[in-house]
Amino acid sequence: NTGWNLISVPFAPVDDTVDAVLQGANTGTVWQYGGPERAGYDPAARLEPMRGYWVFRSGEPITIIITGRPVPDTHVAVVPGWNLIGPVAPFPYAAFEPDWMVHADQVYLPPVQGYADGRYFVAPTLQCGLGVWVKFLQGASIDMGPPRD
């Protein structure tokens, strides 16, 4: 979309460089959050699954087709404090509520916050392709994939 976008990649791209994944859709630098210990942003050279990224686009909204493969391990390490993360899932990339969101009191401080159309919103589920802000109570390894049956 035009303006700032909080994105994620729901699988492992064949070529994970910013230029290959975004195909020129970004205007300027793509930013990743350095974590609570750095409390700042760093330029991203690669777009990795399970992380969130800030991308600015000055042109008209476009759709990007990315090729990749499923992520074999859907767990990601999070640290106490704010984390900018994104879900992973197989096609058709439906929205879902991972197990750690169901047990909020044990892992994170609700709400999970997404960003779209120039504003933050409460994200009741995770949507593949979108990044979210989550404030974790402690360091942990969390599953960013959909619940398993």
Side-chain angles (χ1 to χ4, degrees), residues 10 49-50 70-77 86-90 96 100 141-146 148:
M50 298 182 279
V71 176
D73 182 5
T74 59
H75 288 81
V76 66
V88 293
F96 62 90
W100 58 266
S141 176
I142 61 164
D143 191 348
M144 290 302 295
R148 290 168 175 74

Side-chain angles (χ1 to χ4, degrees), residues 42-95:
D42 297 310
R46 301 187 174 285
L47 300 183
E48 303 170 8
M50 298 182 279
R51 296 196 66 173
Y53 300 91
W54 283 109
V55 177
F56 187 79
R57 175 159 176 79
S58 61
E60 292 295 316
I62 63 168
T63 299
I64 299 170
I65 306 297
I66 307 166
T67 58
R69 58 195 173 284
V71 176
D73 182 5
T74 59
H75 288 81
V76 66
V78 295
V79 296
W82 289 103
N83 291 256
L84 184 52
I85 56 179
V88 293
F91 185 80
Y93 313 118

Side-chain angles (χ1 to χ4, degrees), residues 93 136-137:
Y93 313 118
F136 286 94
L137 301 172

